[in-house]
């Protein structure tokens, strides 16, 4: 038996590379792993690395359509082509690279469901935009969605919570399970009025038996920790306790962090620590600690490794000091050509009446749809 928390990692995660000039930089996963290691977390007895496996085609078909999987295989062999309207280019080996990411999430599911570990983090995962029949928003296969169907099929789980705190709406997951009452989906994101994919409004609450189980909280650009955590604590714990999930999945995209290159929120490591800490507490209270964390977006290299290191430490029930070590800073400079961050943690960001008022009114609007 291992400890309580596992980190899925392989240098092969870096093969998910959409091109030299693409905003999704695979090196962020390596920098995260190295930052986690530099903070001594991997020396703790109860924290262990798990090597990912490659998902089988049969497993990918738990969510994706056969025709689309064939297309990915074809473009992957060819090494060119676009898998959506333009954001997600194919590359040589993209089928294998994305199958490994899905496999890492499935391996995490296995580790948790067999009781080997209570908590797992797959920093390469969280590819929440992919749809059954197409790629979208840098995501080829949707590993959270495949994981949800895998957990249901293999482990007969029928009450799952999926929380998505990426700056973008997790449309592939939400629409993939829009009619499905086994999935409670809670999604905080920068409003679709300002950001891709343009969806995820409070009136989208699920259909038929799943009505009331898909909750969207769109946020104004510039929203900080204070308004975010106020909305999160007001909404999530109560509804999660009522739903009583058997496992909790959290897509932890780091692009909500301030100064992200693609999104416009003003969040910091404090928000991520606050949310993961609450979900960790709820997991122990409701489902024997079963909590799977995925990565996701995150396009400013000085932020992503810090966000995910803080999130991972919180998942493992640890607190870290503020130091960024010199060897890691040197490596950061070498791999990115950019200046490394000076502190692990940020100062919390406060909000003005505009962003606070907006989250309050979004929650009111959401409550009115739920009451219908
Ligand atoms: Zn994102
Ligand atoms: Zn724990």
């Amino acid at each position: 038996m291992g400890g309580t928390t596992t980190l899925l990692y392989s240098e092969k995660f870096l093969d998910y590379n959409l091109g030299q000039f693409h905003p999704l930089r695979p090196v962020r996963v390596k920098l995260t792993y190295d930052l986690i290691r530099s903070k001594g977390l991997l020396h703790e007895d109860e924290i262990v690395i798990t090597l990912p496996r490659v998902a089988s085609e049969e497993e990918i078909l738990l969510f994706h359509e056969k025709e689309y999987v064939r297309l990915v295989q074809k473009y992957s062999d060819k090494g060119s082509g676009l898998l959506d309207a333009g954001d997600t280019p194919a590359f040589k080996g993209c089928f294998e690279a994305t199958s490994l990411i899905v496999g890492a999430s499935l391996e995490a599911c296995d580790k948790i469901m067999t009781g080997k570990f209570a908590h797992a983090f797959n920093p390469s995962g969280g590819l929440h935009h992919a749809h059954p029949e197409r790629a979208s928003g840098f995501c080829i296969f949707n590993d959270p969605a495949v994981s949800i169907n895998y957990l249901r099929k293999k482990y007969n789980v029928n009450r799952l919570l999926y929380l998505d705190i990426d700056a973008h709406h997790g449309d592939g997951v939400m629409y993939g399970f829009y009619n499905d009452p086994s999935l409670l989906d809670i999604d905080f994101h920068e409003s679709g009025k300002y950001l891709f994919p343009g969806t995820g409004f409070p009136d989208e609450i699920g259909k038929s038996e799943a009505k009331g189980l898909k909750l969207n909280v769109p946020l104004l650009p510039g929203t900080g920790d204070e308004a975010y955590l106020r909305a999160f604590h007001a909404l999530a714990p109560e509804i999660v306790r009522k739903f009583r999930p058997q496992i909790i999945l959290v897509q932890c995209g780091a692009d909500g962090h301030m100064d992200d290159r693609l999104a416009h929120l003003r969040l910091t490591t404090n928000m991520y620590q606050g949310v993961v800490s609450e979900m960790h507490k709820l997991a122990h209270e409701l489902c024997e600690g079963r909590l799977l964390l995925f990565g996701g977006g995150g396009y400013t290299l000085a932020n992503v490794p810090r966000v995910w290191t803080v999130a991972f430490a919180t998942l493992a029930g640890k607190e870290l000091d503020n130091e960024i070590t010199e060897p890691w800073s040197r490596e950061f400079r070498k791999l990115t050509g950019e200046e490394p961050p000076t502190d692990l943690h940020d100062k919390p960001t406060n909000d003005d009446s505009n962003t606070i008022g907006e989250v309050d009114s979004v929650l009111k609007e959401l409550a009115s749809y739920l009451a219908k």
Side-chain angles (χ1 to χ4, degrees), residues 76-102:
S76 177
D77 289 343
K78 208 168 69 164
S80 64
L82 282 175
L83 293 166
D84 60 6
D87 291 335
T88 319
F91 55 91
K92 191 111 189 139
C94 64
F95 175 74
E96 289 75 14
T98 188
S99 298
L100 182 75
I101 290 176
V102 177

Side-chain angles (χ1 to χ4, degrees), residues 36-47:
I36 286 172
R37 203 179 46 182
S38 81
K39 296 304 291 177
L41 284 171
L42 303 179
H43 299 307
E44 307 270 356
D45 283 345
E46 66 270 40
I47 302 175

Side-chain angles (χ1 to χ4, degrees), residues 225-226 266 268 270-271 346-350:
D225 295 333
E226 187 186 1
R266 212 165 38 84
T268 74
N270 295 281
M271 179 287 273
D346 304 299
K347 291 194 180 66
T349 42
N350 296 325

Side-chain angles (χ1 to χ4, degrees), residues 85-140:
D87 291 335
T88 319
F91 55 91
K92 191 111 189 139
C94 64
F95 175 74
E96 289 75 14
T98 188
S99 298
L100 182 75
I101 290 176
V102 177
S105 290
L106 300 183
E107 187 66 28
C109 292
D110 287 333
K111 287 283 187 276
I112 291 173
M113 294 311 297
T114 56
K116 193 127 202 245
F117 296 97
H119 320 312
F121 177 36
N122 174 15
S124 73
L127 304 179
H128 61 168
H129 294 305
H131 292 270
E133 76 294 352
R134 65 183 165 93
S136 175
F138 318 158
C139 305
I140 298 177

Side-chain angles (χ1 to χ4, degrees), residues 73 80 252 277:
Q73 284 165 334
S80 64
C252 191
S277 158

